[in-house]
Coordinates of all heavy atoms in Angstrom, one line a residue:
L210 N -24.6 12.3 88.7 CA -26.1 12.6 88.6 C -26.6 13.7 87.5 O -27.5 13.5 86.9 CB -26.7 13.0 90.1 CG -26.8 11.9 91.1 CD1 -27.1 12.4 92.4 CD2 -27.8 10.8 90.6
H211 N -25.7 14.7 87.6 CA -26.0 15.7 86.5 C -25.9 15.1 85.1 O -26.7 15.3 84.2 CB -25.0 16.7 86.6 CG -25.1 17.9 85.6 ND1 -24.3 17.9 84.4 CD2 -25.9 19.0 85.5 CE1 -24.7 18.9 83.6 NE2 -25.6 19.6 84.3
D212 N -24.8 14.3 84.9 CA -24.8 13.7 83.5 C -25.8 12.7 83.3 O -26.3 12.7 82.1 CB -23.4 12.9 83.4 CG -22.1 13.8 83.6 OD1 -22.3 15.0 83.3 OD2 -21.1 13.4 83.9
I213 N -26.3 12.0 84.2 CA -27.4 11.0 84.0 C -28.7 11.7 83.7 O -29.5 11.5 82.7 CB -27.6 10.1 85.2 CG1 -26.4 9.2 85.4 CG2 -28.9 9.4 85.1 CD1 -26.4 8.5 86.7
A214 N -28.9 12.8 84.6 CA -30.1 13.6 84.3 C -30.1 14.3 82.9 O -31.1 14.3 82.0 CB -30.3 14.6 85.4
A215 N -28.9 14.9 82.6 CA -29.0 15.7 81.3 C -29.0 14.8 80.1 O -29.5 15.3 79.0 CB -27.6 16.5 81.3
H216 N -28.5 13.7 80.2 CA -28.5 12.8 79.0 C -29.6 11.8 78.8 O -30.5 12.0 78.0 CB -27.2 11.9 78.9 CG -27.0 11.1 77.8 ND1 -26.9 11.5 76.5 CD2 -26.8 9.8 77.7 CE1 -26.8 10.5 75.7 NE2 -26.9 9.4 76.3
H217 N -29.8 10.9 79.8 CA -30.7 9.8 79.7 C -32.1 10.3 80.0 O -33.1 10.1 79.2 CB -30.4 8.7 80.7 CG -29.1 8.0 80.3 ND1 -28.8 7.4 79.2 CD2 -27.9 7.9 81.0 CE1 -27.6 6.8 79.1 NE2 -27.0 7.2 80.2
L218 N -32.3 11.1 81.1 CA -33.7 11.4 81.4 C -34.2 12.4 80.3 O -35.4 12.4 80.0 CB -33.7 12.0 82.9 CG -33.5 11.2 84.0 CD1 -33.5 11.9 85.3 CD2 -34.4 9.9 83.9
T219 N -33.4 13.3 79.8 CA -33.8 14.2 78.7 C -34.3 13.4 77.6 O -35.3 13.8 77.0 CB -32.7 15.2 78.4 OG1 -32.3 15.9 79.6 CG2 -33.2 16.1 77.4
G220 N -33.4 12.4 77.1 CA -33.8 11.5 76.0 C -35.0 10.8 76.3 O -36.0 10.7 75.4
I221 N -35.2 10.3 77.5 CA -36.5 9.5 77.8 C -37.7 10.4 77.7 O -38.7 10.1 77.1 CB -36.3 8.9 79.2 CG1 -35.3 7.7 79.1 CG2 -37.7 8.3 79.6 CD1 -35.0 7.3 80.4
A222 N -37.5 11.6 78.2 CA -38.6 12.6 78.1 C -39.1 12.9 76.7 O -40.3 13.0 76.4 CB -38.4 13.9 78.8
V223 N -38.1 13.2 75.8 CA -38.4 13.4 74.4 C -39.0 12.3 73.7 O -40.0 12.4 73.0 CB -37.1 13.8 73.6 CG1 -37.3 13.9 72.2 CG2 -36.6 15.1 74.3
M224 N -38.5 11.1 74.0 CA -39.1 9.9 73.3 C -40.4 9.6 73.9 O -41.4 9.2 73.0 CB -38.1 8.7 73.3 CG -36.8 8.8 72.7 SD -35.7 7.4 72.7 CE -35.0 7.7 74.3
T225 N -40.8 9.7 75.0 CA -42.1 9.4 75.5 C -43.1 10.4 75.0 O -44.2 10.0 74.7 CB -42.0 9.4 77.2 OG1 -41.6 10.6 77.6 CG2 -41.4 8.2 77.7
G226 N -42.6 11.6 74.8 CA -43.6 12.6 74.1 C -43.8 12.2 72.7 O -45.0 12.4 72.1
A227 N -42.8 11.6 72.0 CA -43.1 11.1 70.6 C -44.0 9.9 70.7 O -44.8 9.7 69.7 CB -41.7 10.8 69.9
V228 N -43.9 9.0 71.6 CA -44.6 7.9 71.7 C -46.2 8.3 71.8 O -47.0 7.7 71.2 CB -44.3 7.0 72.9 CG1 -45.4 5.9 73.2 CG2 -43.0 6.4 72.6
E229 N -46.5 9.4 72.7 CA -47.8 9.9 72.8 C -48.4 10.3 71.6 O -49.5 10.1 71.2 CB -47.8 11.0 73.9 CG -49.2 11.4 74.2 CD -49.1 12.6 75.3 OE1 -47.9 13.1 75.6 OE2 -50.1 13.1 75.7
R230 N -47.7 10.9 70.6 CA -48.1 11.4 69.3 C -48.1 10.3 68.3 O -49.2 10.3 67.5 CB -47.2 12.6 68.9 CG -47.2 13.7 69.7 CD -46.5 15.0 68.9 NE -45.2 14.6 68.7 CZ -44.1 14.9 69.6 NH1 -44.4 15.4 70.6 NH2 -42.9 14.6 69.2
Q231 N -47.4 9.3 68.4 CA -47.3 8.2 67.4 C -48.3 7.0 67.8 O -48.6 6.3 66.8 CB -45.9 7.7 67.3 CG -44.9 8.7 66.7 CD -43.5 8.2 66.8 OE1 -43.2 7.3 67.7 NE2 -42.7 8.6 65.8
I232 N -48.7 6.8 68.9 CA -49.4 5.6 69.4 C -50.6 5.4 68.5 O -50.9 4.2 68.3 CB -49.7 5.7 70.8 CG1 -50.1 4.3 71.4 CG2 -50.7 6.7 71.1 CD1 -50.0 4.1 72.8
D233 N -51.3 6.4 68.1 CA -52.5 6.2 67.2 C -52.2 6.3 65.7 O -52.8 5.6 64.9 CB -53.6 7.3 67.6 CG -54.1 7.0 68.9 OD1 -54.1 6.0 69.4 OD2 -54.4 8.1 69.6
T234 N -51.2 7.2 65.3 CA -51.0 7.4 63.9 C -49.9 6.5 63.3 O -49.8 6.2 62.2 CB -50.7 8.8 63.6 OG1 -49.5 9.2 64.4 CG2 -51.8 9.8 64.1
D235 N -48.9 6.2 64.1 CA -47.8 5.3 63.7 C -47.3 4.2 64.7 O -46.4 4.5 65.5 CB -46.6 6.3 63.3 CG -45.5 5.6 62.7 OD1 -45.6 4.4 62.4 OD2 -44.4 6.2 62.5
P236 N -48.1 3.2 64.9 CA -47.8 2.3 65.9 C -46.5 1.7 65.9 O -45.9 1.4 66.8 CB -49.0 1.1 65.7 CG -50.0 1.8 65.0 CD -49.4 2.9 64.1
A237 N -46.0 1.4 64.6 CA -44.6 0.8 64.4 C -43.6 1.9 64.9 O -42.6 1.5 65.6 CB -44.5 0.5 62.9

Side-chain angles (χ1 to χ4, degrees):
L210 285 173
H211 176 269
D212 292 343
I213 292 171
H216 180 65
H217 296 294
L218 293 181
T219 302
I221 290 173
V223 171
M224 284 183 286
T225 53
V228 169
E229 183 180 7
R230 293 190 299 270
Q231 293 173 331
I232 195 167
D233 293 326
T234 60
D235 186 7

